[in-house]
Structure formats: structure tokens, C-alpha cells
Amino acid sequence: MSFHLLPNLCFIGGGRTGASLAFFFLRQGYRVISVIEKNPDRFDYLKKEFQWNFLDAGFDSRKLSAAEVIFLTVRDDHLPELAEILSKLNINWKDKLILHCSGTLSSLLLNPLDRKTDLYGNSIDLAGRRINKKKT
């Protein structure tokens, strides 16, 4: 019998997309380390509705470091700022996959992470298997 470990997941943005994906992956047996939601009203809603013990109101470098896959599920206009913030956090970026879930914006918005992580892309990239690999 083979044993396959599922990757640890983190979601930055607990809106409809982030919360729905977290809920889906939880039901599939994945370990969700964190859903980060900075909007206090949405945070309170998620806490009350789902009683998730991994819900966070801010960035936790330890949890982000422990995740193998980080989903960026924030509004499109927040992606450039978020990528810049993430690039400055003390996170272990080794072998980490960063995905943003916008179907309309290019992965080039994640360029601040290029010097940090090996793989990043958007959900269209993932579906098409076109993930940006860091050039060494």
C-alpha cells in the first residue's frame, strides 16, 4: 500500500472564493493551516459560521512557512500590494507553490515573490499546467 501525504494549505483571503476552497479541500482530507481574513466583519462571520480554529486575522510567518501551497484569494486590486508584503515576511519559501485565483490577471503581479519561491502562478496556469518556474 502506498502512502501519499497531502500538502498543507493556506488561504490568504476568506471571502467567497477562499472560504469555499478551504471548505472543499478540508472535505477532501487536506490540512488547512490558515485562512487569513483581515476584514473584521467577514472574520467574525467565518468564526461563527464554521468554528474554524485555523482562522487568522493577520499573517503568521510560522503558518505560512508550514504551508506547501498558498492560495491568494484576495480581490485583484489587492494582489500587487499583497505580493510585496509577502516578499518582506520571514517565511521559508523553499518548495512553496503560490497560486492566485484570479482568472483575469497575469502571474506577473507576483514578481516580488520571484526571488523568494520556486513556483507561482494563477488558477488558469494550474489548469493549463503553465507554472512559472524560477530560473536558476
Side-chain angles (χ1 to χ4, degrees):
M1 172 168 58
S2 69
F3 182 72
H4 176 68
L5 291 176
L6 298 172
N8 293 326
L9 308 177
C10 177
F11 297 86
I12 300 176
R16 288 178 296 209
T17 301
S20 296
L21 285 170
F23 186 75
F24 170 80
F25 282 112
L26 280 170
R27 290 185 57 130
Q28 301 305 311
Y30 287 79
R31 180 169 178 236
V32 175
I33 293 176
S34 180
V35 172
I36 301 166
E37 177 53 57
K38 295 177 91 173
N39 179 301
D41 293 333
R42 183 67 180 174
F43 181 90
D44 291 342
Y45 168 79
L46 292 171
K47 196 145 193 85
K48 180 181 175 187
E49 185 71 22
F50 298 108
Q51 294 91 39
W52 286 339
N53 62 352
F54 49 78
L55 191 59
D56 296 303
F59 299 111
D60 182 329
S61 292
R62 291 176 300 117
K63 289 183 178 182
L64 289 165
S65 291
E68 282 98 7
V69 180
I70 299 175
F71 287 88
L72 308 179
T73 59
V74 299
R75 289 187 354 213
D76 291 351
D77 57 331
H78 291 165
L79 278 171
E81 178 186 2
L82 177 59
E84 195 62 40
I85 290 168
L86 288 174
S87 74
K88 294 176 182 173
L89 294 176
N90 185 21
I91 296 172
N92 176 7
W93 293 101
K94 183 171 174 34
D95 299 325
K96 202 165 299 304
L97 177 62
I98 312 296
L99 295 170
H100 75 83
C101 296
S102 168
T104 60
L105 297 178
S106 166
S107 297
L108 294 176
L109 290 171
L110 303 178
N111 277 349
L113 298 176
D114 190 42
R115 59 192 179 275
K116 298 285 186 175
T117 186
D118 294 328
L119 298 171
Y120 62 90
N122 64 28
S123 55
I124 292 175
D125 291 339
L126 181 62
R129 306 296 187 262
R130 292 183 295 114
I131 300 295
N132 298 322
K133 294 185 179 180
K134 184 185 238 182
K135 296 172 181 69
T136 55

